[in-house]
Amino acid sequence: MSTIVDVCKLAGVSKATVSRVINGTGQVKKSTRDAVKAAMEQLGYRPNTLAQSLARSETNSIGLVISDYEGIYFGNLLKQASASAEQAHKELFITDGHNDSEREYEAILRLQDRRCDAIVLYSRKISMEQLQTLKQQLTVPLVLINRELSEPLFHTVTFDQGGAVKTMINHLISYGHRKIACITGPLSTPTGQARFAAYQDTLKQYAISFNPNLVKHAQYGLQNGYDACRELIEGNIAFSALLAFNDEMALGALKALTDAGISVPEQVSIAGIDNNPMTQFSTPAISTIDLPVKEATNHAIKVALSLAEGKTCPFSSQYKGTLIQRDSILPFNSTKNWLAY
Amino acid sequence: MSTIVDVCKLAGVSKATVSRVINGTGQVKKSTRDAVKAAMEQLGYRPNTLAQSLARSETNSIGLVISDYEGIYFGNLLKQASASAEQAHKELFITDGHNDSEREYEAILRLQDRRCDAIVLYSRKISMEQLQTLKQQLTVPLVLINRELSEPLFHTVTFDQGGAVKTMINHLISYGHRKIACITGPLSTPTGQARFAAYQDTLKQYAISFNPNLVKHAQYGLQNGYDACRELIEGNIAFSALLAFNDEMALGALKALTDAGISVPEQVSIAGIDNNPMTQFSTPAISTIDLPVKEATNHAIKVALSLAEGKTCPFSSQYKGTLIQRDSILPFNSTKNWLAY
DNA sequence: CTGTTAGCGCTTTCAC
DNA sequence: GTGAAAGCGCTAACAG
């Protein structure tokens, strides 16, 4: 690995000059610039990013920490984050928190130790207390995706999670369903809570009494959706529709229903959330709510970048989901119940 | 952000001493160590990783570049890579090549500019020429996942891609199938080529003549699998079994078949590769080949780490897939053809 | 236009 | 045990 001084010697100039041609700053006579370039070329010289960053005290990079590499979300998220960063000519450092709040917290700190210019966090786990202390410790801007804050600690980009559920329940009810089963995601996360609250609230708006036997709590995932749905079936409580809090669970539930000989959507309508590509290719294709993950991610990165440059940004922005109608929902009156009502 | 000198002043010691307690190197009297720790604590001091790396000329990190954040593979891959790196107390830097060989090449160089201790590459795109020049430019070890090399340029960890297809075709043939349609992945990649060659070779071994009308080339993905399968159906060439070169395409094909009123597996058996979790939850569940992505990834990281420490490692290692039997394959004699043979 | 000279924040001999 | 000093490779005034 050749260094800047190797280039200096070969080109017969000073470090300052080489630095100038590396960065295209200041004035350099064309002839000497060419000489320097030739020298760099000949040596296969590449600046040491570490040294540059240390000297400049900025890294031209942004850090992203996600809870883990699980779910459909994060593929889109990483993809968009990567694209947005590239577009801004920034490096993107991705770290996962191994789905553990303490590790997430550490990951953020380590990103700051690396002197990222800004950090974006998409966390399911991190606690309010941790965010509070981060507020003290952090000197670089942090923006949160999918996390509503009561106090304006950090900039946030959120989804209307409650609205997503509400939209779908409304849709189901408009189709005449009233006994709507529900498989929630983990209630330990803000997202889970918001969605579950919306489920209950929306039912209440229609004066449909909440039936705890109609809801199962599960971790996201195909198998968990399957299992939860089996429990529902074995519970022998009639329902004409089923909302799973994400598409994977909905897909698992579909399988459970099918295995049990209950036909979807003829006997029970099902719905999910996320607009997982697979919902389009299951039989029946599953109605779902599309959450604009890419847009939100792009926006979060943009905000982080602006903040890094010292600009000011709106403190929070929210994205809404949109209903995607497919084949898994039929009007209630045409459903042949799988269990007596 | 406080620096080491802030700690020095507060603790009334020299940089050397602070450095010693940071790294736990050398001898420091307990009392002064405690004083230093107290000072660090009080200031919320955290060492600047950049400066440490520059001084030590090692970053304690390993770089991973993948083609893009697409497909089922890479989720497992990232997850395992992250776990393996963490276990070795190394930071993991993940970069994607935006599915473009030039960008991948650049990504590798940038990782080296960042002075990663080693680099792991999982590329679909990068060319032999680029690898050749990398061989010249790179001073850090590079290990390739899923890339067979004719010359021993770099250490490799590969999958027996041909064997995976062969295993499945054998399985199909043992079930009496002979007209086996095929939806290949992109033939521009080594993986695609190996798999396609195996398809042809295996048929030949059974003296089954290759029928080009029975094969469609597609990009991986649900929709592409769907479309390719439609073409197959519309081609009106009889086949009793269908192998898609990945599970997503198989899932798409299943949908196409279902939409066309052809029942799986009664009328046509289908199979995929990857052991995508979804194949277990489709109806019918799809038989597939499980590729030990996690094991291979873990091994690649380990090799990279060893190489970084100057140890020597076996130059190449190969992992084999295993057949996962599910419900999508039935013996030929019991299939009711969807088209006259 | 170009070179000199301080750093950036930390590690690491080498003395004391 | 601890400190002084010389870097790591590069940038950024400041002169000239």
Side-chain angles (χ1 to χ4, degrees):
Chain A
M1 286 270 75
S2 47
T3 74
I4 199 171
V5 297
D6 297 321
V7 179
C8 292
K9 289 175 187 158
L10 191 63
V13 297
S14 72
K15 291 198 289 178
T17 300
V18 175
S19 177
R20 288 189 189 99
V21 352
I22 291 173
N23 301 292
T25 53
Q27 303 288 303
V28 183
K29 207 198 318 179
K30 180 160 190 339
S31 61
T32 81
R33 184 177 345 127
D34 290 343
V36 171
K37 282 187 171 168
M40 298 199 303
E41 175 82 11
Q42 183 182 332
L43 292 167
Y45 168 77
R46 304 201 114 225
N48 181 327
T49 313
L50 254 30
Q52 284 184 312
S53 298
L54 185 58
R56 282 204 274 252
S57 67
E58 66 165 42
T59 54
N60 207 41
S61 69
I62 98 133
L64 172 62
V65 5
I66 62 181
S67 287
D68 60 20
Y69 300 114
E70 203 78 67
I72 182 66
Y73 258 34
F74 93 95
N76 281 331
L77 195 149
L78 293 193
K79 205 167 172 168
Q80 181 60 52
S82 165
S84 300
E86 161 130 353
Q87 194 192 330
H89 304 291
K90 299 278 178 181
E91 289 258 32
L92 181 69
F93 291 149
I94 300 165
T95 317
D96 79 319
H98 300 269
N99 211 21
D100 174 282
S101 71
E102 193 53 41
R103 315 274 270 292
E104 288 180 4
Y105 175 83
E106 278 301 335
I108 294 171
L109 255 21
R110 283 204 307 268
L111 248 16
Q112 157 147 299
D113 295 343
R114 276 238 146 60
R115 295 297 182 273
C116 283
D117 300 335
I119 300 175
V120 174
L121 171 65
Y122 178 48
S123 165
R124 287 193 281 270
K125 298 288 191 170
I126 207 159
S127 70
M128 245 348 250
E129 294 72 50
Q130 287 172 311
L131 289 175
Q132 299 271 19
T133 65
L134 277 175
K135 181 66 182 176
Q136 309 305 319
Q137 299 179 65
L138 250 33
T139 56
V140 303
L142 172 68
V143 1
L144 308 184
I145 302 183
N146 194 30
R147 182 60 152 257
E148 223 127 2
L149 259 29
S150 43
E151 322 152 52
L153 286 176
F154 299 107
H155 289 247
T156 61
V157 179
T158 59
F159 299 105
D160 182 4
Q161 299 287 184
V165 168
K166 185 179 168 132
T167 299
M168 189 53 92
I169 298 285
N170 275 153
H171 180 60
L172 253 12
I173 288 178
S174 77
Y175 269 56
H177 295 282
R178 294 184 67 83
K179 303 204 177 182
I180 302 171
C182 178
I183 301 175
T184 77
L187 258 33
S188 56
T189 69
T191 297
Q193 293 159 214
R195 289 180 179 180
F196 189 44
Y199 167 74
Q200 300 182 83
D201 290 351
T202 311
L203 290 187
K204 185 179 290 177
Q205 279 175 29
Y206 289 92
I208 299 174
S209 66
F210 173 73
N211 181 348
N213 294 316
L214 247 34
V215 358
K216 297 291 172 195
H217 304 297
Q219 302 289 119
Y220 294 132
L222 290 161
Q223 185 67 53
N224 297 322
Y226 183 92
D227 294 341
C229 190
R230 270 216 71 73
E231 286 181 40
L232 238 22
I233 295 168
E234 286 162 0
N236 265 300
I237 314 284
F239 56 90
S240 68
L242 165 63
L243 170 61
F245 277 6
N246 85 348
D247 284 335
E248 290 205 352
M249 294 194 300
L251 257 358
L254 171 58
K255 177 75 170 169
L257 258 2
T258 305
D259 282 357
I262 299 170
S263 62
V264 178
E266 291 76 11
Q267 290 179 280
V268 358
S269 292
I270 68 174
I273 298 177
D274 275 357
N275 195 18
N276 185 316
M278 187 60 211
T279 51
Q280 204 179 140
F281 291 92
S282 56
T283 301
I286 296 175
S287 294
T288 186
I289 301 282
D290 180 70
L291 261 18
V293 175
K294 296 208 161 201
E295 290 77 356
T297 302
N298 179 45
H299 187 236
I301 300 275
K302 292 271 164 62
V303 170
L305 257 19
S306 299
L307 259 23
E309 291 174 6
K311 298 180 190 163
T312 76
C313 293
F315 227 80
S316 69
S317 32
Q318 189 176 68
Y319 286 81
K320 295 203 178 300
T322 77
L323 176 67
I324 311 282
Q325 298 195 40
R326 294 210 254 254
D327 313 326
S328 63
I329 299 177
L330 240 38
F332 173 65
N333 53 359
S334 70
T335 69
K336 319 166 226 151
N337 311 325
W338 61 280
L339 212 63
Y341 252 53
Chain B
M1 286 270 75
S2 47
T3 74
I4 199 171
V5 299
D6 297 321
V7 179
C8 293
K9 288 175 188 158
L10 192 63
V13 297
S14 72
K15 291 199 288 178
T17 300
V18 175
S19 177
R20 288 190 188 98
V21 351
I22 291 174
N23 301 292
T25 53
Q27 302 288 303
V28 183
K29 207 197 317 179
K30 180 160 189 341
S31 61
T32 83
R33 185 178 344 126
D34 289 343
V36 171
K37 280 186 173 167
M40 298 200 300
E41 175 82 10
Q42 183 181 334
L43 293 167
Y45 169 76
R46 304 200 114 226
N48 181 326
T49 312
L50 254 29
Q52 285 185 311
S53 298
L54 184 58
R56 283 204 273 250
S57 68
E58 67 165 39
T59 54
N60 207 42
S61 69
I62 98 132
L64 171 63
V65 5
I66 62 180
S67 287
D68 59 21
Y69 301 113
E70 203 78 67
I72 183 66
Y73 259 32
F74 92 96
N76 282 331
L77 196 148
L78 292 193
K79 204 166 172 170
Q80 181 59 52
S82 165
S84 300
E86 162 130 353
Q87 194 192 329
H89 304 291
K90 298 279 179 180
E91 288 257 32
L92 181 69
F93 290 150
I94 299 165
T95 318
D96 79 319
H98 301 269
N99 211 21
D100 174 282
S101 71
E102 192 54 41
R103 314 274 271 292
E104 287 180 4
Y105 175 83
E106 278 300 335
I108 294 170
L109 255 21
R110 283 203 310 268
L111 248 16
Q112 156 148 299
D113 295 343
R114 279 239 144 60
R115 295 297 183 272
C116 284
D117 300 334
I119 300 175
V120 174
L121 171 66
Y122 179 48
S123 166
R124 288 194 282 270
K125 298 289 191 169
I126 207 158
S127 70
M128 248 344 253
E129 294 73 49
Q130 288 172 310
L131 289 175
Q132 298 272 20
T133 64
L134 277 176
K135 181 68 181 173
Q136 308 304 318
Q137 298 179 66
L138 250 33
T139 55
V140 303
L142 173 68
V143 1
L144 309 184
I145 301 182
N146 195 28
R147 182 60 155 256
E148 223 128 4
L149 258 29
S150 43
E151 322 153 52
L153 287 176
F154 299 106
H155 288 248
T156 60
V157 178
T158 58
F159 299 105
D160 182 4
Q161 300 287 185
V165 167
K166 183 176 170 137
T167 299
M168 188 54 92
I169 297 285
N170 275 153
H171 180 60
L172 255 9
I173 288 177
S174 77
Y175 269 56
H177 294 281
R178 293 184 67 84
K179 302 203 176 181
I180 302 171
C182 177
I183 302 176
T184 78
L187 258 33
S188 56
T189 70
T191 297
Q193 292 158 214
R195 290 180 179 180
F196 189 44
Y199 168 75
Q200 299 181 84
D201 290 352
T202 311
L203 290 186
K204 186 179 289 176
Q205 280 176 27
Y206 289 92
I208 298 174
S209 66
F210 173 73
N211 181 348
N213 294 316
L214 247 35
V215 358
K216 297 293 173 195
H217 304 297
Q219 302 289 119
Y220 294 133
L222 291 159
Q223 185 67 52
N224 297 321
Y226 184 92
D227 293 342
C229 189
R230 271 217 70 73
E231 286 181 40
L232 239 22
I233 294 167
E234 285 163 359
N236 265 299
I237 314 284
F239 56 91
S240 69
L242 165 63
L243 169 62
F245 277 8
N246 84 348
D247 284 334
E248 291 207 350
M249 294 194 300
L251 256 1
L254 170 58
K255 177 75 170 169
L257 257 3
T258 305
D259 282 358
I262 299 170
S263 61
V264 179
E266 291 76 11
Q267 290 178 283
V268 359
S269 293
I270 67 174
I273 297 176
D274 275 356
N275 196 18
N276 185 317
M278 187 60 211
T279 52
Q280 204 180 135
F281 291 91
S282 57
T283 302
I286 297 174
S287 294
T288 186
I289 301 281
D290 180 70
L291 261 19
V293 176
K294 296 206 160 202
E295 290 78 354
T297 303
N298 179 45
H299 187 236
I301 300 274
K302 291 272 164 59
V303 171
L305 256 19
S306 299
L307 259 22
E309 292 173 7
K311 299 180 189 163
T312 77
C313 293
F315 227 80
S316 70
S317 32
Q318 188 176 66
Y319 287 82
K320 295 205 179 299
T322 77
L323 176 66
I324 310 282
Q325 298 194 40
R326 294 209 255 255
D327 314 324
S328 63
I329 298 178
L330 241 38
F332 172 66
N333 53 1
S334 70
T335 69
K336 318 165 227 152
N337 310 326
W338 61 282
L339 213 63
Y341 252 53

